[in-house]
Amino acid sequence: MAFVSINRSNYAAVAEIYKLGIAAGYATFETEIPDFNTWDKKHLSYCRFALKQNSKILGWGALSKVSDRNCYKGVAEVSVYVHPEAQGKTIGTQLLLKLIDESEKNGIWTLQGGIMEGNTASLKLHKKCGFRTIGYREKIGCLNGQWKNKVILERRSKIVGMS
């Protein structure tokens, strides 16, 4: 397996995994796949990876900034999606650990995630990788006519921003 940067040439495979996440009904409030230009603008250029085995992308992870304010320049939101056929095979763990490592190399001191309450696999993954629950947002979004809660997690770097 190898990490590859997400770009225009491999975005179709990334988008397909994203589409499967949307269809699952507990991974995101999004209902449509963005085109590459829209996705590209939303995510940080230095922390966007897919995990590839042979020629198949098994999953992807990316960071997006949480604010344009300078005081939050070291805070990013995490997205990790794994193809259903590759779930339970450490793909998510490898992607999240890669994002953590690269985020710290790029001055990110806090990673945060908002995970739907019923997405137990994602909650378990984030906790396994050092995230802690800091709260939840009650009925923060409506998906397919149902109001959903989001669990808010964060991971504070032990090496960036400690001075």
Side-chain angles (χ1 to χ4, degrees):
M1 280 188 265
F3 289 103
V4 295
S5 184
I6 298 171
N7 55 45
R8 187 177 304 279
S9 67
N10 61 17
Y11 183 69
V14 167
E16 180 60 27
I17 293 170
Y18 197 17
K19 179 180 173 184
L20 294 167
I22 289 171
Y26 55 79
T28 180
F29 284 108
E30 296 294 337
T31 57
E32 295 183 15
I33 305 299
D35 62 33
F36 177 75
N37 290 336
T38 303
W39 186 93
D40 183 49
K41 288 177 189 167
K42 182 179 175 186
H43 294 90
L44 298 175
S45 61
Y46 53 84
C47 278
R48 50 170 72 178
F49 302 100
L51 193 53
K52 192 173 186 179
Q53 185 172 41
N54 302 320
S55 62
K56 183 174 178 154
I57 290 182
L58 305 175
W60 64 271
L63 298 182
S64 54
K65 63 182 176 178
V66 298
S67 175
D68 287 326
R69 294 177 62 195
N70 191 50
C71 60
Y72 296 119
K73 67 182 177 189
V75 182
E77 184 169 355
V78 176
S79 294
V80 174
Y81 289 82
V82 178
H83 193 286
E85 293 174 2
Q87 291 175 359
K89 299 178 181 174
T90 76
I91 304 304
T93 301
Q94 292 178 65
L95 285 163
L96 190 50
L97 290 175
K98 175 75 169 171
L99 288 174
I100 290 168
D101 183 55
E102 292 298 319
S103 72
E104 290 180 331
K105 289 177 184 174
N106 285 279
I108 302 293
W109 59 76
T110 298
L111 294 176
Q112 69 180 35
I115 300 169
M116 284 188 202
E117 201 168 43
N119 193 344
T120 55
S122 188
L123 290 167
K124 187 176 177 181
L125 165 66
H126 283 74
K127 289 181 180 180
K128 174 180 166 182
C129 292
F131 285 71
R132 66 186 179 97
T133 300
I134 59 170
Y136 79 101
R137 299 187 76 185
E138 184 177 4
K139 296 181 181 176
I140 191 66
C142 188
L143 180 64
N144 301 322
Q146 290 189 318
W147 287 96
K148 305 277 187 175
N149 299 336
K150 262 195 170 182
V151 178
I152 308 301
L153 299 103
E154 75 174 11
R155 182 191 181 279
R156 181 70 169 88
S157 173
K158 294 180 178 24
I159 59 173
V160 178
M162 296 308 293
S163 56

